[in-house]
Amino acid sequence: MSTEQEKNPSTEQTPAKIPFSQRHKWKLFFAKAIFSIGMLTVFYGAYLDWQIRSKMDGQIWRLPAEVYSRIESVRLQDNLTLNDVTQLLLNNDYRQTSFVAAPGDFKIENDTIVLLRRSFPFPDKMEPQRVIRLRFSDEKLTVIEDLVNQVTIDEFRLAPKLVAMLQSDNEERLAIPLQNYPRLLIDTLILTEDRRFYEHQGVSLISIARAMISNIRAGQTVQGGSTLTQQLVKNLFLTNERSITRKINEALMAIMLDLRYDKNTILETYLNEIYLGQNGDTQIHGFELASHFFFGRPVREISLDQIALLVGMVKGPSLYNPWRNPTNAKERRNVVLGLMLEHKMIDQELFDLLSQRPLGVQEKGSVTRPYPAFIQTLQAELRQNLGENKSSSLLGARIFTTLDVKQQAYAEQAVVDATQKLQLKVKNPHLQSAMVIADYQKGEIRAIVGGLQTQYAGFNRAFMAKRQIGSLVKPSIYLTALSDPDRFRLNSPINNQPITINIKGSPPWQPKNYDHKYSGSVLLIDALTRSLNIPTVNIGMKVGLTKVIETQQAMGWDQVSIPKVPAMLLGSYSISPYDVTKLFQVIANNGGKIPLSTINTITDRQGEVIYQHQTEPEQVVPSQATVQTLYAMQQVVERGTARSLQNDFALLHLAGKTGTTNDARDTWYVGIDGENVATVWLGRDDNGETGLTGASGALEIYKNYLQRAEVSPLELKKVDGIKWVGINSYGSWNCYSPARNIPVWANKGQDFCASSTIDPTILLSTPRKTPAPVEDAKPAG
């Protein structure tokens, strides 16, 4: 080496090298990148895992509240006939078969009925399914046998009918436990959609490869490789977007879901989540709801071919919709049946039988809202009793209503049939009507009809329409008077001459009788029977408007705006049919007020009661006054404005009251039998003239209803202090040869037979030594 080279070693030629510091920077960069990607992956995985756990461990769905009809029982004491029981079973969706095999089946043999009663979580307890045998003698039920426990019983309850669901987030579903699903449905679903479900870990590479080969061969997408777990992830967490990102998320979440939860949990969630159709804007999720929706029965009660149809629809709920595309649906059903045949789940004979069957679906949409007016009223009551902010407490709740499906059907048929006949009779196609039926001893609404379009959830005239009530107000005025027995009794003579009432700041008011006929006086009972205006105004003014309004408010019109003017005595203000029913419930129930309700009980998903309707009556008016008023209303039917009922229903001893407003714009009728009070309104939405009265309009609808319904006779209850006393044609006491007998409140223990003349203290007009003859009750108007 030269001296220069020794002195200057840097000049030596060496290969170029990356400086150590630069190499370190690149290594550090790659390490950071890998670490960052790893952390992002961990955090993203944790985020996906959090999404899965928060959904699966919490409230998976905002379950709608299930709404059921009233719970009905079969009891020996009711003396039911074989036809009665058969109809009751059919009304509650039982099926008459030749062989009892599934819950909901029943068969008739000679004088016996054998049925497999469904299990059901009643408000007080869960009751299992039971095999029941009913024996009849002379067409009457005489013996009820529980064949499982081998005992005789006096009664048993039927699972109520699912009538509606109060939806949430535009979805409807009925979530049930895995054990309630038929084993055949589960096996068929796994066979059709994911044969390796119990073997893979959320994603099946074999299924993906098989699907890719099939699609390549076909030149189009004919088979999917998604597992049930992936399908559940897509339905529960993701959208239907077709992208690589979505598929990656789907696969990752499916693996995580499979790691965290057992197969049965995943399968149960899938069965309750899978999308199976659309009803308007509402999505149908889960096999249980789909079974109700398409077949009208629980999934555990459907037949094998119906199971095949539902499983087949998983591939394409719209393409295989049995209502919209019945041909496609049948072909797809038979493909599933073919798979079952191939894997020896069924034999060739059964395949041939099932593949030829029609689809057997029910009329579209009959599950979701068959009773719109009742459901609207129910929802209003829920808001009133639970409040707007407590709706979350109803998620998945069971609402046991007071709806009587049979009574509702009778009411709907009567409203539609009678109104259409009246439209033709008076050539008025714009007539509308509404009806409310309530059990007055329990305060329970049995039926509500909101208009002629009984299945249309539009304007609910029974609950929302406020119309002038006219003469329907009169019983409350007479009841107020009869609550003061020292001044008024049914035989009190009332002035029936034209009158003028001066009103400060307004023109004088001159009320008139409907027929413009007058007389010296009429008995109080006859004034109500004939629905006379002048005597009613005289009584109301004598009692006082304040007292009348206080009585009406106590009887249930506390939310009604009642004007304190004399015209209110003739019903010049507006009330809904629902509110009208409140007042007459009190009259029918001997003065005991029970708030009207469409709800009996509400339970949460665990069966705990969260609301119970109270049926203990509050005595708001004297029972003695209501008995007299109710008797006078019986006279309205027997010989008054509703006397046309006597032709066919005299033995029922019905009570009632007609009502007609000015220019016959509104016609009303309230009828009371031995159990229910029914309010009927008929008029026009535009408040136009009907050309009808209460007797020729609304009463015709009630008459039509009576021809269909099973109505019990009305019997006046025995009340302390009420005596039946004879009177003559003048209204004087006559216990020996009376013209008629009337109920009288002996508030001071009086002996009315000791006198043959009317006590002058109860007269409104000037007393006379010899009472003037009182005009006989001849109905007018």
Side-chain angles (χ1 to χ4, degrees), residues 597-640:
S597 180
T598 58
I599 303 170
N600 182 285
T601 309
I602 303 177
T603 62
D604 59 20
R605 293 301 294 179
Q606 289 70 45
E608 297 295 325
V609 174
I610 57 180
Y611 176 82
Q612 181 82 50
H613 173 57
Q614 299 301 318
T615 59
E616 188 67 29
E618 174 191 2
Q619 197 72 33
V620 293
V621 289
S623 58
Q624 295 86 352
T626 59
V627 166
Q628 295 175 83
T629 305
L630 199 55
Y631 174 73
M633 291 176 63
Q634 284 182 315
Q635 296 300 295
V636 171
V637 175
E638 184 174 331
R639 55 195 182 89

Side-chain angles (χ1 to χ4, degrees), residues 150-434:
Q150 297 183 335
V151 294
T152 59
I153 54 179
D154 293 330
E155 65 179 281
F156 64 94
R157 292 185 290 187
L158 294 172
K161 181 177 180 179
L162 177 68
V163 296
M165 285 163 288
L166 303 186
Q167 65 190 51
S168 175
D169 299 334
N170 286 333
E171 292 185 0
E172 291 190 357
R173 91 181 69 236
L174 289 173
I176 61 173
L178 181 64
Q179 60 265 28
N180 286 0
Y181 279 101
R183 186 73 235 180
L184 268 173
L185 185 146
I186 295 172
D187 292 342
T188 305
L189 176 68
I190 291 174
L191 172 66
T192 307
E193 294 293 323
D194 188 359
R195 298 177 193 176
R196 300 187 66 252
F197 174 72
Y198 287 104
E199 300 169 19
H200 61 65
Q201 282 71 51
V203 175
S204 175
L205 297 178
I206 295 175
S207 298
I208 294 173
R210 184 172 61 243
M212 289 178 63
I213 294 172
S214 298
N215 294 339
I216 291 171
R217 287 176 177 173
Q220 58 180 331
T221 302
V222 296
Q223 186 175 336
S226 296
T227 62
L228 289 181
T229 314
Q230 287 176 273
Q231 292 179 39
L232 175 60
V233 166
K234 184 178 73 172
N235 276 272
L236 205 54
F237 303 102
L238 305 174
T239 66
N240 289 324
E241 175 192 6
R242 293 180 176 272
S243 67
I244 296 296
T245 304
R246 201 268 290 163
K247 290 297 292 183
I248 292 174
N249 283 336
E250 180 185 296
L252 287 173
M253 295 180 81
I255 293 170
M256 292 178 181
L257 188 66
D258 198 86
L259 286 172
R260 276 208 172 271
Y261 300 96
D262 63 80
K263 292 291 186 180
N264 284 345
T265 300
I266 295 171
L267 183 59
E268 179 183 291
T269 308
Y270 179 94
L271 290 166
N272 290 319
E273 168 60 27
I274 189 65
Y275 170 72
L276 287 169
Q278 194 86 10
N279 180 34
D281 295 331
T282 303
Q283 299 176 8
I284 305 300
H285 285 262
F287 282 96
E288 173 71 358
L289 178 59
S291 181
H292 281 278
F293 190 60
F294 291 111
F295 307 118
R297 62 185 67 174
V299 70
R300 61 185 177 273
E301 296 181 16
I302 61 176
S303 59
L304 191 54
D305 55 306
Q306 292 170 332
I307 286 177
L309 175 59
L310 291 183
V311 170
M313 289 177 64
V314 170
K315 184 178 179 181
S318 179
L319 179 63
Y320 302 115
N321 185 301
W323 290 316
R324 189 182 308 161
N325 301 307
T327 302
N328 291 351
K330 190 171 184 179
E331 289 176 356
R332 177 62 182 165
R333 180 200 68 180
N334 290 348
V335 167
V336 175
L337 289 172
L339 286 173
M340 297 170 73
L341 173 64
E342 181 183 340
H343 288 79
K344 302 187 185 312
M345 293 175 64
I346 59 176
D347 57 23
Q348 185 65 49
E349 182 181 359
L350 187 55
F351 171 81
D352 293 339
L353 173 66
L354 298 179
S355 61
Q356 295 301 315
R357 280 187 178 179
L359 294 175
V361 293
Q362 64 178 1
E363 184 180 349
K364 184 177 180 181
S366 61
V367 166
T368 51
R369 284 291 170 87
Y371 312 110
F374 188 94
I375 299 302
Q376 286 174 341
T377 309
L378 168 73
Q379 289 175 308
E381 189 178 342
L382 288 172
R383 289 191 293 269
Q384 178 182 346
N385 292 330
L386 300 181
E388 294 284 357
N389 299 325
K390 293 186 179 180
S391 59
S392 60
S393 64
L394 293 179
L395 295 180
R398 293 185 178 92
I399 302 174
F400 297 94
T401 73
T402 61
L403 174 68
D404 187 313
V405 175
K406 184 167 60 174
Q407 292 280 80
Q408 178 72 32
Y410 293 151
E412 290 178 358
Q413 292 162 6
V415 164
V416 173
D417 184 51
T419 306
Q420 289 177 345
K421 289 179 180 177
L422 289 170
Q423 286 176 340
L424 294 173
K425 179 180 178 181
V426 297
K427 297 181 174 57
N428 192 337
H430 304 294
L431 293 181
Q432 268 289 353
S433 53

Side-chain angles (χ1 to χ4, degrees), residues 596-720:
L596 295 184
S597 180
T598 58
I599 303 170
N600 182 285
T601 309
I602 303 177
T603 62
D604 59 20
R605 293 301 294 179
Q606 289 70 45
E608 297 295 325
V609 174
I610 57 180
Y611 176 82
Q612 181 82 50
H613 173 57
Q614 299 301 318
T615 59
E616 188 67 29
E618 174 191 2
Q619 197 72 33
V620 293
V621 289
S623 58
Q624 295 86 352
T626 59
V627 166
Q628 295 175 83
T629 305
L630 199 55
Y631 174 73
M633 291 176 63
Q634 284 182 315
Q635 296 300 295
V636 171
V637 175
E638 184 174 331
R639 55 195 182 89
T641 56
R643 64 193 180 282
S644 63
L645 287 174
Q646 286 296 95
N647 294 334
D648 298 314
F649 309 106
L651 296 179
L652 295 176
H653 307 294
L654 302 171
K657 184 68 189 78
T658 55
T660 310
T661 61
N662 291 339
D663 301 321
R665 299 182 188 278
D666 298 280
T667 79
W668 294 85
Y669 186 75
V670 174
I672 299 173
D673 59 46
E675 184 177 0
N676 297 314
V677 53
T679 301
V680 182
W681 167 84
L682 180 138
R684 290 173 49 150
D685 289 338
D686 61 2
N687 204 33
E689 296 182 19
T690 64
L692 297 165
T693 64
S696 61
L699 179 58
E700 290 299 311
I701 296 175
Y702 183 67
K703 206 180 296 183
N704 192 302
Y705 163 76
L706 290 178
Q707 291 167 353
R708 305 170 188 274
E710 300 169 3
V711 175
S712 58
L714 172 62
E715 297 180 5
L716 297 182
K717 294 182 179 178
K718 293 183 178 180
V719 175
D720 290 341

Side-chain angles (χ1 to χ4, degrees), residues 25-178:
K25 287 180 180 179
W26 278 105
K27 288 180 180 179
L28 189 60
F29 171 77
F30 282 119
K32 287 181 178 179
I34 293 171
F35 178 77
S36 298
I37 292 171
M39 291 302 294
L40 286 173
T41 303
V42 170
F43 281 123
Y44 187 63
Y47 166 71
L48 294 179
D49 185 58
W50 171 80
Q51 276 194 314
I52 292 171
R53 285 187 294 109
S54 63
K55 192 86 168 179
M56 295 290 290
D57 295 342
Q59 179 70 56
I60 299 180
W61 309 287
R62 291 181 60 83
L63 293 174
E66 302 165 17
V67 181
Y68 293 91
S69 63
R70 68 185 291 229
I71 298 170
E72 296 191 89
S73 299
V74 177
R75 301 180 297 186
L76 284 176
Q77 67 184 54
D78 292 337
N79 293 317
L80 298 171
T81 66
L82 190 145
N83 287 337
D84 291 336
V85 176
T86 300
Q87 192 59 50
L88 183 61
L89 293 173
L90 293 174
N91 289 340
N92 284 274
D93 289 340
Y94 277 71
R95 302 172 301 278
Q96 185 173 350
T97 62
S98 57
F99 181 75
V100 176
D105 289 348
F106 76 94
K107 68 175 182 177
I108 301 176
E109 289 184 351
N110 299 323
D111 292 329
T112 64
I113 294 179
V114 177
L115 64 99
L116 182 49
R117 194 203 69 167
R118 299 182 177 101
S119 62
F120 191 78
F122 291 97
D124 54 345
K125 64 178 179 179
M126 175 73 186
E127 292 191 9
Q129 65 184 39
R130 302 163 73 181
V131 182
I132 304 291
R133 180 163 59 199
L134 309 175
R135 296 184 183 276
F136 296 83
S137 178
D138 296 327
E139 279 291 310
K140 296 292 184 181
L141 178 61
T142 54
V143 179
I144 304 176
E145 298 173 288
D146 181 341
L147 298 184
V148 174
N149 298 315
Q150 297 183 335
V151 294
T152 59
I153 54 179
D154 293 330
E155 65 179 281
F156 64 94
R157 292 185 290 187
L158 294 172
K161 181 177 180 179
L162 177 68
V163 296
M165 285 163 288
L166 303 186
Q167 65 190 51
S168 175
D169 299 334
N170 286 333
E171 292 185 0
E172 291 190 357
R173 91 181 69 236
L174 289 173
I176 61 173
L178 181 64

